[in-house]
Amino acid sequence: HNIFKKGQAVVVKPRSEGSSVGVAIAKDTSALLDAVCRAVKYGPDILIEKYIPGREFTVGILGDRALPVIELRPYKDFFSYKAKYQSDKTQYIVKPRIPRKLTERLQRVGLKAHRALRCEVFSRVDLIYDPARDKVYALEVNSIPGMTERSLVPKAASAIGIDFPQLCQEIRVELVLGLLNSEQRMGLRVMQQYQVGEHFDRAVRHVARDEVI
């Protein structure tokens, strides 16, 4: 009640769901009760967090590097399930026109969240930038981000010249590198760099069978 008296809002979401399923923003007690009733339909555990206003961004992580920033501009209050998968009004601004220092902050926070949760290979970190406080908040880390034509990691990779087949190959490389020692990783990187396709594929198959390269 005290939160609402101060003009703040809360976000309600089912703990076991993704893609913003069952998420609602409540600005008063009545809306909060409605949001909780809807959220518990997806499971007994729910999260209630303070709503953070600001601009929505996402940063994909590939290996241990941050991909270009994408700004999310939903047509309504937030990046809901409908905005993600059903609306053609949602805008995805790859490399938005924001100060370079802010871009670097968003990428830095995204990479830090990825590392803090010990994610591997690739992930996507959703962030909010509150210009009033000049703060960047990590909302959540998606450890298995989508890989469809509407998905954000492929959009970010494309912005730096990595097309979808190459992105899949990069992910494949990162998966294999996690199984190797330092010398083997260096050798596989060299093969990848010089596009030694046949040898690279053979090396990957050897690793998959737990054989020595």
Side-chain angles (χ1 to χ4, degrees):
H1 296 296
N2 291 334
I3 290 177
F4 298 130
K5 288 179 182 179
K6 295 177 181 179
Q8 296 179 345
V10 297
V11 179
V12 181
K13 66 180 295 184
R15 189 174 71 107
S16 59
E17 292 293 331
S19 297
S20 299
V21 172
V23 174
I25 298 174
K27 298 180 180 179
D28 56 47
T29 303
S30 176
L32 174 60
L33 293 175
D34 288 342
V36 169
C37 289
R38 288 197 299 271
V40 295
K41 293 179 181 179
Y42 299 96
D45 299 326
I46 63 173
L47 297 174
I48 301 178
E49 303 172 314
K50 185 175 77 170
Y51 172 70
I52 301 172
R55 297 170 67 176
E56 296 187 60
F57 297 93
T58 193
V59 173
I61 307 297
L62 181 59
D64 200 43
R65 57 175 167 153
L67 295 174
V69 172
I70 298 179
E71 182 173 7
L72 313 174
R73 295 182 184 175
Y75 72 103
K76 285 191 175 181
D77 291 340
F78 71 103
F79 200 40
S80 64
Y81 180 89
K82 186 175 182 179
K84 289 178 180 179
Y85 301 109
Q86 299 174 349
S87 174
D88 58 1
K89 297 180 181 178
T90 299
Q91 296 181 345
Y92 305 96
I93 313 299
V94 183
K95 295 184 177 180
R97 293 184 178 180
I98 56 178
R100 181 177 56 83
K101 288 186 177 181
L102 177 56
T103 295
E104 292 172 350
R105 284 175 65 190
L106 291 165
Q107 291 177 315
R108 187 165 59 249
V109 172
L111 191 56
K112 186 175 181 179
H114 172 90
R115 291 170 175 169
L117 295 180
R118 297 183 180 180
C119 295
E120 297 179 348
V121 184
F122 74 128
S123 72
R124 197 193 74 241
V125 185
D126 295 335
L127 308 130
I128 287 282
Y129 172 64
D130 182 355
R133 296 180 173 82
D134 190 31
K135 287 188 176 181
V136 173
Y137 299 88
L139 296 182
E140 62 181 353
V141 178
N142 188 335
S143 59
I144 310 179
M147 290 290 286
T148 71
E149 62 181 13
R150 293 177 66 99
S151 298
L152 300 176
V153 169
K155 288 181 185 292
S158 178
I160 54 173
I162 302 176
D163 62 19
F164 192 77
Q166 186 180 352
L167 175 61
C168 293
Q169 180 76 333
E170 289 269 355
I171 292 171
R172 183 186 182 199
V173 169
E174 292 297 335
L175 283 167
V176 171
L177 289 175
L179 303 174
L180 305 179
N181 60 39
S182 59
E183 291 184 0
Q184 290 172 323
R185 282 197 296 271
M186 183 178 299
L188 205 59
R189 281 296 193 195
V190 170
M191 280 189 274
Q192 181 194 19
Q193 179 180 354
Y194 290 98
Q195 300 180 346
V196 188
E198 180 182 349
H199 298 290
F200 176 83
D201 289 339
R202 186 165 68 248
V204 170
R205 288 195 297 272
H206 281 318
V207 173
R209 292 199 301 268
D210 197 27
E211 296 179 11
V212 177
I213 295 177

